[in-house]
Amino acid sequence: MGSWTMRLAVAALLLGLTMVATGDEGDKDPCVYEALTDNDAVLCKGLKVFYPELGNLGCMVVPECNNYRQKITYWTEPIVKFPGALDGATYILVMVDPDAPSRSSPKARFWRHWLVTDIKGADVKKGKIQGQELSPYQPPSPPAQSGFHRYQFFVYLQEGKTISLLPKENKTRGSWNMDRFLSRFHLGEPEASTQFVTQNYQDMLHHQAPGGSSEPKDKPEPR
């Protein structure tokens, strides 16, 4: 009797271990959170960009799982935090895609996704982007079969200047001469910046690696 009871106990234990092992394997997170290459990570300096479900996407590749690459195309504007902002200062936020229509042939660089001026330092420090919205937020929408796109965020010190877009700049968001815009208002180096990378949600990850050798090595950091 005692031997039979012991056998049942051992069998139950083995069954339990098998179920736990199987359950653990099935519960593995299918998401791969990949950091940017060193070449692209140079741009990541002091700025945080938070999207729903994903958290801070700064210096990251948007994961292919959970339809994130589709969701990010219709999510509203992210929370942008600049912890190093000065309370008494005023800032400008710029979001652009330098890889329009593709990174290998960026004929429409820069595509202006978001432009906000007159942001108080105390606000952007907390992630509140409140100011004059010259270009409302436009979600990332990389075309199919165009490879990976970088979405870059820059914060500039405004220093009391009145910032505006020219009529021709307001007609289209593509082929925006960002360097000329920065020069026109004597804006220096960005106080903070970051970027993330994504591709069209219908494209497979193996089509092209983000920052891969088939893409140009130069980084279009505004002067």
Side-chain angles (χ1 to χ4, degrees), residues 121-138:
D123 286 338
V124 70
K125 184 183 290 188
K126 300 175 184 177
K128 295 180 181 179
I129 303 303
Q130 298 176 338
Q132 183 70 24
E133 198 170 48
L134 301 184
S135 295
Y137 177 74
Q138 185 180 76

Side-chain angles (χ1 to χ4, degrees), residues 109-149:
R109 174 186 295 178
F110 289 89
W111 190 279
R112 192 175 65 253
H113 278 264
W114 202 12
L115 177 58
V116 187
T117 67
D118 302 291
I119 306 169
K120 294 180 180 179
D123 286 338
V124 70
K125 184 183 290 188
K126 300 175 184 177
K128 295 180 181 179
I129 303 303
Q130 298 176 338
Q132 183 70 24
E133 198 170 48
L134 301 184
S135 295
Y137 177 74
Q138 185 180 76
S141 321
Q145 305 300 322
S146 66
F148 283 89
H149 288 237

Side-chain angles (χ1 to χ4, degrees), residues 99-108 216:
D99 303 322
S102 69
R103 189 165 182 173
S104 59
S105 182
K107 298 176 182 178

Side-chain angles (χ1 to χ4, degrees), residues 40-65:
D40 284 337
V42 173
L43 201 69
C44 304
K45 300 177 181 177
L47 200 59
K48 299 178 180 180
V49 177
F50 296 88
Y51 278 90
E53 301 181 35
L54 287 168
N56 182 17
L57 265 185
C59 246
M60 300 294 293
V61 179
V62 176
E64 193 175 6
C65 60

Side-chain angles (χ1 to χ4, degrees), residues 1-12:
M1 183 70 175
S3 175
W4 178 246
T5 304
M6 180 62 70
R7 289 177 184 176
L8 284 177
V10 171

Side-chain angles (χ1 to χ4, degrees), residues 181-214:
F181 170 82
L182 296 175
S183 298
R184 189 162 77 240
F185 296 105
H186 306 288
L187 300 174
E189 292 292 322
E191 299 294 307
S193 58
T194 194
Q195 65 179 342
F196 64 82
V197 169
T198 190
Q199 68 176 167
N200 187 282
Y201 68 93
Q202 295 177 320
D203 295 347
M204 295 299 292
L205 183 63
H206 63 260
H207 283 166
Q208 186 180 40
S213 59
S214 62

